[in-house]
Amino acid sequence: MTVKNIEIYDTTLRDGAQAEGVSFSAVAKVQIAKRLDEFGIATIEGGFAASNPKDMEFFRLIKKETLKNSKIAAFGSTRRANIAPEDDKGLAALLEADTPVCTIFGKSWLLHVTDVLQTTAEENLAMIADSVRFLKEHGKEVIFDAEHFYDGYKDNPEYALSALKAAADAGADCLVLCETNGGALQEEVAQITAAVVNAFDIPVGVHSHNDGELGVANALAAVNAGAVHVQGTINGIGERVGNCNLSSVIPNLMLKMGLDCLPNAENLKQLRALSQFVYEQANMRPFTKQAFVGDSAFAHKAGMHVDGVRKVPHSFEHINPESVGSKRRILISELSGASNVFLKAIEMGLELDRKSPEVRDVLKQLEQMEKEGYEYESADASFQMLIKKVLKKHQSFFELESFSVTVDRQGATPGCRSEAKVKLSVKGESIEADGSGDGPVDALNHALRDALSQFYPTIADVVLRDYSVRILDPEEATAAKTRVLIESGDGKATWGTVGVSENIIEASWEALVDSVEYKLFLEEEKTRK
Ligand SMILES: [Zn+2]
């Protein structure tokens, strides 16, 4: 028996772009489309053909690219009421987008036809049929998105099905059932999808939303009921709380249900990188607790779990993390036993004997540092530096000679200027650099990176993604210490570092130094391989 193919239809660039706070430039959209193509997504919905010039610009730009796996779809609606398809601006824009696939949405819930669209039941069916036929006559592959299908079917199954029939009879290539409001439960989705699959002999698809936290579950339920086309977005970004998350649907379909949805099963290993890339382009912080691809997806903290995965990985892991390009992480905290430290060292590529005095030394040092206020759970990179230091495998890439920071405000108008000066000794040379920024830490970061970048050009790739501060021991105000956590990234990886001091600038400096040293270690390891 051959494995069934599921067509993955990505709408990150259209429905995903409707998410609060997300706005992709046409160029960013092209970058994302190229990554989706590389990954092996079957169809990429590029945007709303009629609505904005940015989307039309995308359609123009993407034509210049040679895509290996993906077809581009333009999105639009059925013609307006009481007008010929030839005279409809939306349909004209779909043709102008010049894509092989056109996806049009139409009404299948009678309530929407009469109360929202304010037309008649018959005219709506004619709008669907005319629009599909018009696009077919122009040689397009036509996907019909039946908006509010599940709610419409629950309200009036005959009418909902007649909307699909209008599209199918006019030549639609695929009927997509939209769970537009995101409130349906899996059983309903399964039953209704099965009824549609039985009634039509063209492919049926599903487009679900996550309002009931069931976007993925509903898509899988539809597939179980016979759907062969799944729409969603990378990381589930989209309107309100989001769309069906393709970053979860795809591994579930492939690894749990044994279905094929990529041209090459090996591509699944690019999933985490794709997820991170889309977060970068959307200017969003990655959701660390995201299934399959989040930083915490395979992070183990409790000593017993850590011991378990060391002996048998699947004792506490539902899949092999590498199959989706993720990595197992061992979290280090005061709860950690020797197991965690030992595994962390292995994760770092250090040879260590579990019962060796070194592991004990690391534990002792860890205990001491935690007493002083350090916390390593979200500061992996600092922990790695700590181990290297205890094992005397740490090598400094530079030494600090001095730094100074000034913050200057003039008059009553809000707004400060921050300047920093850093003096380092690098490879035997003394070097000085200035930096300015929104705040003192930003200025210090710029000065540090400026000083280092002439010796280590890859430092330029590192960006600070997050900065958080906690005041420790607030009851002893004079001795209060500040803990600074910094999250850095270079577009491929993210890492956390920590610094502690009575002075917030010094704590920040410590975390900054660990962050750049970690990056330099990564680079050095790469050249050694
Ligand atoms: Zn949608």
Side-chain angles (χ1 to χ4, degrees):
M1 208 182 87
T2 52
V3 260
K4 195 161 115 183
N5 280 328
I6 302 295
E7 186 190 40
I8 301 293
Y9 181 103
D10 179 281
T11 177
T12 305
L13 303 180
R14 201 272 307 167
D15 234 357
Q18 286 173 226
E20 185 174 0
V22 171
S23 162
F24 298 122
S25 66
V27 174
K29 282 183 156 210
V30 172
Q31 296 304 325
I32 294 173
K34 282 163 73 177
R35 286 295 284 259
L36 293 169
D37 171 59
E38 226 170 83
F39 183 65
I41 295 290
T43 312
I44 300 169
E45 189 172 87
F48 212 136
S51 80
N52 73 55
K54 199 162 72 182
D55 285 2
M56 290 311 261
E57 170 75 355
F58 165 81
F59 292 123
R60 200 178 59 74
L61 291 173
I62 197 69
K63 262 189 288 181
K64 296 185 191 150
E65 305 289 338
T66 316
L67 302 179
K68 293 185 291 244
N69 300 304
S70 308
K71 284 182 286 190
I72 300 291
F75 184 77
S77 79
T78 52
R79 69 160 170 80
R80 280 172 298 142
N82 312 313
I83 187 179
E86 295 75 29
D87 301 329
D88 187 81
K89 282 199 187 112
L91 291 175
L94 278 169
L95 295 182
E96 200 192 317
D98 198 19
T99 55
V101 183
C102 289
T103 302
I104 49 168
F105 72 95
K107 302 286 184 194
S108 57
W109 186 358
L110 197 51
L111 166 89
H112 269 263
V113 176
T114 53
D115 292 28
V116 180
L117 212 55
Q118 297 182 330
T119 187
T120 63
E122 297 70 40
E123 174 60 7
N124 178 55
L125 298 181
M127 285 156 64
I128 295 170
D130 287 353
S131 308
V132 171
R133 199 175 304 115
F134 176 79
L135 293 169
K136 286 307 292 179
E137 279 164 9
H138 284 86
K140 303 295 180 185
E141 179 181 330
V142 178
I143 295 175
F144 177 65
D145 274 9
E147 201 189 20
H148 291 114
F149 184 79
Y150 293 93
D151 290 318
Y153 187 95
K154 282 188 266 180
D155 185 40
N156 185 335
E158 292 75 33
Y159 190 76
L161 288 171
S162 69
L164 295 182
K165 189 168 184 309
D169 289 351
D173 296 281
C174 182
L175 301 173
V176 176
L177 315 181
C178 300
E179 217 287 273
T180 309
N181 293 359
L185 300 174
Q186 297 114 286
E187 292 73 17
E188 299 168 323
V189 168
Q191 271 172 21
I192 295 171
T193 307
V196 173
V197 169
N198 285 331
F200 293 92
D201 52 12
I202 57 173
V204 171
V206 60
H207 174 114
S208 53
H209 276 261
N210 207 30
D211 300 74
E213 189 94 47
L214 294 170
V216 170
N218 282 340
L220 298 179
V223 168
N224 266 325
V228 292
H229 165 119
V230 175
Q231 299 195 351
T233 63
I234 301 299
N235 302 326
I237 60 171
E239 193 98 45
R240 306 185 304 279
V241 301
N243 282 61
C244 162
N245 184 354
L246 289 182
S247 321
S248 297
V249 158
I250 293 171
N252 274 316
L253 288 171
M254 292 176 71
L255 303 174
K256 306 289 173 72
M257 293 164 75
L259 299 170
D260 247 357
C261 43
L262 297 176
N264 180 349
E266 279 291 295
N267 289 10
L268 190 59
K269 291 188 176 151
Q270 299 171 27
L271 186 67
R272 182 180 145 93
L274 174 66
S275 154
Q276 296 275 323
F277 182 77
V278 170
Y279 276 127
E280 291 275 340
Q281 295 292 323
N283 202 14
M284 287 168 85
R285 289 198 59 206
F287 176 40
T288 55
K289 299 211 162 28
Q290 191 170 329
F292 296 98
V293 294
D295 284 353
S296 304
F298 302 96
H300 305 281
K301 180 169 165 187
M304 254 165 55
H305 289 204
V306 171
D307 195 48
V309 288
R310 186 176 65 81
K311 291 170 181 149
V312 187
H314 69 260
S315 64
F316 287 96
E317 284 173 354
H318 71 128
I319 58 159
N320 175 358
E322 279 153 32
S323 59
V324 290
S326 286
K327 260 175 44 187
R328 177 176 309 137
R329 284 173 61 229
I330 307 299
L331 301 180
I332 295 301
S333 75
E334 68 234 290
L335 304 174
S336 310
S339 253
N340 293 33
V341 171
F342 172 69
L343 279 180
K344 191 82 205 174
I346 291 183
E347 194 184 298
M348 292 163 53
L350 296 172
E351 306 259 326
L352 212 56
D353 179 355
R354 194 156 183 243
K355 297 199 171 67
S356 70
E358 284 101 333
V359 171
R360 240 173 297 134
D361 288 348
V362 172
L363 274 175
K364 231 164 69 198
Q365 182 67 16
L366 181 66
E367 216 176 290
Q368 180 57 36
M369 298 300 272
E370 286 188 333
K371 236 183 249 162
E372 287 174 31
Y374 289 80
E375 186 213 83
Y376 292 98
E377 218 171 278
S378 40
D380 262 42
S382 284
F383 183 73
Q384 299 204 15
M385 294 300 132
L386 175 83
I387 294 196
K388 281 184 199 281
K389 278 172 195 160
V390 177
L391 300 183
K392 312 228 164 10
K393 291 194 169 148
H394 176 266
Q395 133 214 0
S396 293
F397 292 88
F398 58 92
E399 304 288 341
L400 173 69
E401 287 181 17
S402 66
F403 71 69
S404 68
V405 180
T406 56
V407 180
D408 182 56
R409 172 163 162 174
Q410 303 286 333
T413 326
C416 293
R417 269 173 67 84
S418 298
E419 309 274 355
K421 204 178 268 305
V422 165
K423 214 168 153 186
L424 306 176
S425 127
V426 190
K427 298 180 178 172
E429 257 183 72
S430 187
I431 175 109
E432 220 178 290
D434 297 326
S436 58
D438 296 336
V441 177
D442 195 32
L444 200 53
N445 177 40
H446 284 134
L448 171 64
R449 293 206 288 154
D450 196 40
L452 289 175
S453 60
Q454 20 187 323
F455 297 91
Y456 308 110
T458 55
I459 282 298
D461 303 338
V462 181
V463 287
L464 295 194
R465 304 177 57 107
D466 199 23
Y467 174 87
S468 63
V469 176
R470 244 189 93 183
I471 308 298
L472 309 168
D473 320 309
E475 66 274 12
E476 304 162 48
T478 49
K481 279 188 173 176
T482 305
R483 176 166 67 216
V484 166
L485 285 168
I486 287 180
E487 192 188 293
S488 314
D490 62 0
K492 291 183 211 94
T494 55
W495 58 90
T497 53
V498 59
V500 173
S501 164
E502 283 168 26
N503 181 302
I504 187 170
I505 302 292
E506 192 173 40
S508 307
W509 170 261
E510 238 183 66
L512 281 174
V513 167
D514 271 4
S515 168
V516 298
E517 283 206 328
Y518 180 76
K519 167 71 177 173
L520 296 174
F521 271 117
L522 286 185
E523 289 301 319
E524 204 183 58
E525 240 142 61
K526 240 193 278 165
T527 51
R528 225 183 289 145
K529 270 174 198 164

